[in-house]
Amino acid sequence: MAQELFRSPKKRGRVAVLLSGRGSNFRAIHEAMLAGKINADIVLVFSNKAEAPGLQTARERGLETLHLDPKSFPTKEAYDAAIVEELKKRQVDLVCLAGYMKIITPLFCQAFRNRIMNIHPALLPAFPGVEAQAQALAYGVKVAGCTVHFVDEGVDTGPIILQACVPVLENDTVESLSERILEQEHVIYSRAVRLFAEGRLVIEGHRVRILGQDLP
Ligand code: GRF
């Protein structure tokens, strides 16, 4: 059954970003919001790592931040339940995983079904999991890229929202390829959040239909 992700365009969306590292995707999304391209605000930047540079950037930008230490919780479920509670408290509409290096539990997926996005630095379903760019390079593909998808219970298996391609060059290293992919990540992740905020994403089975895409 088709599932529409409509919200009133009049209401500004409430987005939470979860990250574990440098946070360049978070910055790109935030900047698109500040530029008025996305009808939503970041209401929380969360990290499992106290020292994540992205968390520091969020503080400098005056955004609310939160760190919870996974080691202080008895189970992964208890940790995710605490995160879900924090997100619900802030009436979050959309959760953006942006370099969040933890696999979220089914409990988390269910609490925000079709409201969690992730960015992956490969053209899924190729090269899921860690070190996707190195996997692509080692395999010898001629085209690499990135994928924004909704998160389901699997690892990088949820419905695909947007993808972008980049060429793999003869003398590419993991670093040079990752850099070229990252530029595209920033473009498509911001675009996907905008489409969500505009209520233009419809999930049909495993497909995501983008409303109005065929219009000139
Ligand atoms: C990106 O390459 C993203 O695709 C992957 O983790 C990296 C995060 O980078 N999931 P940043 O923290 O957003 O700069």
Side-chain angles (χ1 to χ4, degrees), residues 6-16 29 33 38-44 90-95 115 193-194 196-199:
F6 261 138
R7 286 185 308 96
S8 157
K10 286 188 198 122
K11 176 185 171 246
R12 280 184 79 75
R14 298 174 65 79
V15 176
I29 293 166
M33 288 174 178
I38 302 175
N39 187 33
D41 300 301
I42 294 176
V43 296
L44 182 67
R90 292 167 181 80
Q91 297 175 302
V92 165
D93 300 307
L94 175 67
V95 179
R115 291 177 182 279
V193 174
R194 175 167 63 81
F196 185 95
E198 290 172 354

Coordinates of all heavy atoms in Angstrom, one line a residue, residues 6-16 29 33 38-44 90-95 115 193-194 196-199:
F6 N 3.0 13.0 3.8 CA 2.6 14.4 3.7 C 2.5 15.1 5.1 O 2.1 14.5 6.0 CB 1.2 14.4 3.2 CG 1.1 14.7 1.7 CD1 0.3 14.1 0.9 CD2 2.0 15.7 1.2 CE1 0.2 14.4 -0.5 CE2 1.9 16.0 -0.2 CZ 1.1 15.3 -1.0
R7 N 3.0 16.3 5.1 CA 2.7 17.2 6.2 C 2.2 18.4 5.6 O 2.5 18.7 4.4 CB 4.0 17.4 7.0 CG 4.5 16.3 7.8 CD 5.6 16.7 8.6 NE 6.7 17.3 7.8 CZ 6.9 18.6 7.7 NH1 6.1 19.4 8.3 NH2 7.8 19.0 6.9
S8 N 1.6 19.2 6.4 CA 1.1 20.5 5.9 C 2.3 21.4 5.5 O 3.2 21.5 6.3 CB 0.3 21.2 7.0 OG 0.3 22.6 6.7
P9 N 2.3 21.9 4.3 CA 3.5 22.7 3.9 C 3.6 24.0 4.7 O 4.6 24.6 4.7 CB 3.2 23.1 2.4 CG 1.9 22.5 2.1 CD 1.3 21.8 3.3
K10 N 2.5 24.3 5.5 CA 2.6 25.5 6.3 C 3.4 25.3 7.5 O 4.0 26.2 8.1 CB 1.2 26.0 6.7 CG 0.4 26.6 5.6 CD -0.9 27.1 6.0 CE -1.8 27.3 4.8 NZ -3.1 26.6 5.0
K11 N 3.5 24.1 8.0 CA 4.2 23.8 9.2 C 5.7 23.6 8.9 O 6.0 22.9 8.0 CB 3.6 22.5 9.9 CG 4.3 22.1 11.1 CD 3.8 20.7 11.6 CE 4.6 20.2 12.7 NZ 5.4 18.9 12.4
R12 N 6.6 24.2 9.7 CA 8.0 23.9 9.5 C 8.3 22.6 10.1 O 7.9 22.3 11.2 CB 8.8 25.0 10.2 CG 8.9 26.3 9.3 CD 9.8 27.3 9.9 NE 11.2 27.0 9.7 CZ 11.9 27.2 8.6 NH1 11.2 27.7 7.5 NH2 13.2 27.0 8.5
G13 N 9.1 21.8 9.3 CA 9.5 20.5 9.8 C 10.5 20.5 10.9 O 11.2 21.5 11.1
R14 N 10.5 19.5 11.8 CA 11.4 19.4 12.9 C 12.3 18.3 12.7 O 11.9 17.1 12.7 CB 10.6 19.3 14.2 CG 9.7 20.5 14.5 CD 8.8 20.3 15.7 NE 9.6 20.3 16.9 CZ 10.0 21.3 17.6 NH1 9.9 22.5 17.1 NH2 10.7 21.2 18.7
V15 N 13.6 18.6 12.5 CA 14.6 17.6 12.1 C 15.6 17.4 13.2 O 16.1 18.3 13.8 CB 15.3 18.0 10.8 CG1 16.4 17.0 10.4 CG2 14.3 18.2 9.6
A16 N 15.9 16.1 13.4 CA 17.0 15.8 14.3 C 18.1 15.1 13.5 O 17.8 14.3 12.6 CB 16.6 14.8 15.4
I29 N 23.1 20.3 5.3 CA 21.6 20.3 5.5 C 21.3 21.6 6.2 O 20.3 22.3 5.8 CB 21.1 19.1 6.2 CG1 21.3 17.8 5.4 CG2 19.7 19.3 6.7 CD1 21.2 16.5 6.2
M33 N 19.0 24.9 5.0 CA 17.9 25.5 5.8 C 18.0 27.0 6.0 O 17.1 27.7 5.8 CB 17.8 24.8 7.2 CG 17.3 23.4 7.1 SD 17.4 22.6 8.7 CE 16.6 21.0 8.3
I38 N 15.0 24.8 2.6 CA 14.2 23.7 3.2 C 13.3 24.3 4.3 O 13.8 25.0 5.2 CB 15.2 22.7 3.9 CG1 16.2 22.1 2.9 CG2 14.4 21.6 4.6 CD1 17.3 21.2 3.5
N39 N 12.0 23.9 4.2 CA 11.0 24.4 5.2 C 11.1 23.6 6.5 O 10.1 22.9 6.8 CB 9.7 24.4 4.5 CG 8.6 25.1 5.4 OD1 8.9 26.0 6.1 ND2 7.4 24.6 5.4
A40 N 12.2 23.6 7.1 CA 12.4 22.8 8.4 C 13.5 23.4 9.2 O 14.4 24.2 8.7 CB 12.7 21.4 8.0
D41 N 13.6 23.0 10.4 CA 14.6 23.4 11.3 C 15.3 22.2 12.0 O 14.6 21.2 12.2 CB 14.1 24.3 12.5 CG 13.4 25.5 11.9 OD1 14.1 26.3 11.2 OD2 12.2 25.7 12.2
I42 N 16.5 22.3 12.3 CA 17.2 21.3 13.1 C 16.9 21.6 14.6 O 17.4 22.6 15.1 CB 18.7 21.2 12.8 CG1 18.9 20.8 11.3 CG2 19.4 20.2 13.7 CD1 20.4 20.8 10.9
V43 N 16.2 20.7 15.2 CA 15.8 20.9 16.6 C 16.8 20.2 17.6 O 16.7 20.4 18.8 CB 14.4 20.6 16.9 CG1 13.4 21.5 16.1 CG2 14.0 19.1 16.6
L44 N 17.6 19.2 17.0 CA 18.5 18.5 17.9 C 19.6 17.9 17.0 O 19.4 17.3 16.0 CB 17.8 17.4 18.6 CG 18.7 16.6 19.6 CD1 19.1 17.4 20.8 CD2 17.9 15.3 20.1
R90 N 10.9 16.3 21.7 CA 11.1 17.5 20.8 C 10.2 17.4 19.6 O 10.4 18.2 18.6 CB 12.5 17.6 20.4 CG 13.4 17.9 21.6 CD 14.9 17.7 21.3 NE 15.7 18.1 22.5 CZ 15.9 17.2 23.5 NH1 15.4 16.0 23.5 NH2 16.7 17.6 24.5
Q91 N 9.3 16.5 19.5 CA 8.3 16.4 18.4 C 9.0 16.3 17.0 O 8.6 17.1 16.1 CB 7.3 17.5 18.5 CG 6.5 17.4 19.7 CD 5.5 18.6 19.9 OE1 6.0 19.8 19.9 NE2 4.3 18.4 20.0
V92 N 10.0 15.5 17.0 CA 10.8 15.4 15.7 C 10.0 14.7 14.6 O 9.3 13.7 14.9 CB 12.1 14.6 16.0 CG1 12.8 14.2 14.8 CG2 13.0 15.5 16.9
D93 N 10.0 15.3 13.4 CA 9.3 14.7 12.3 C 10.2 13.8 11.5 O 9.8 12.8 10.9 CB 8.8 15.8 11.3 CG 7.9 16.8 11.9 OD1 6.9 16.4 12.5 OD2 8.2 18.0 11.8
L94 N 11.5 14.2 11.4 CA 12.4 13.4 10.6 C 13.8 13.3 11.3 O 14.3 14.3 11.8 CB 12.6 14.2 9.2 CG 13.7 13.6 8.3 CD1 13.2 12.3 7.7 CD2 13.9 14.6 7.1
V95 N 14.3 12.1 11.2 CA 15.6 11.8 11.8 C 16.6 11.6 10.7 O 16.4 10.8 9.8 CB 15.6 10.5 12.7 CG1 16.9 10.3 13.3 CG2 14.5 10.7 13.8
R115 N 10.5 7.6 8.7 CA 10.9 9.0 9.1 C 12.4 9.1 9.5 O 12.8 10.0 10.2 CB 10.0 9.5 10.3 CG 8.6 9.7 9.8 CD 7.6 10.0 10.9 NE 6.3 10.1 10.2 CZ 5.9 11.2 9.5 NH1 6.7 12.2 9.4 NH2 4.8 11.1 8.9
V193 N 15.9 15.9 2.1 CA 15.3 16.5 3.3 C 14.2 17.6 2.8 O 13.1 17.7 3.3 CB 16.3 17.2 4.3 CG1 15.6 17.9 5.4 CG2 17.2 16.1 4.8
R194 N 14.6 18.3 1.8 CA 13.6 19.3 1.2 C 12.4 18.6 0.7 O 11.3 19.0 1.0 CB 14.3 20.1 0.1 CG 13.3 21.1 -0.6 CD 14.0 22.1 -1.5 NE 14.7 21.5 -2.6 CZ 14.2 21.1 -3.7 NH1 12.9 21.2 -3.9 NH2 15.0 20.6 -4.7
F196 N 11.2 15.8 1.6 CA 10.4 15.3 2.7 C 9.6 16.4 3.3 O 8.4 16.3 3.6 CB 11.3 14.7 3.8 CG 10.6 14.0 4.9 CD1 10.3 12.6 4.9 CD2 10.2 14.8 6.0 CE1 9.6 12.0 5.9 CE2 9.5 14.2 7.0 CZ 9.2 12.8 7.0
A197 N 10.3 17.5 3.5 CA 9.6 18.7 4.2 C 8.5 19.2 3.3 O 7.5 19.8 3.8 CB 10.6 19.8 4.5
E198 N 8.6 19.0 2.0 CA 7.5 19.5 1.1 C 6.4 18.4 0.9 O 5.5 18.6 0.2 CB 8.1 19.8 -0.3 CG 9.0 21.1 -0.3 CD 9.8 21.3 -1.6 OE1 9.7 20.4 -2.5 OE2 10.4 22.3 -1.7
G199 N 6.6 17.3 1.6 CA 5.6 16.3 1.6 C 5.5 15.6 0.2 O 4.5 15.2 -0.2

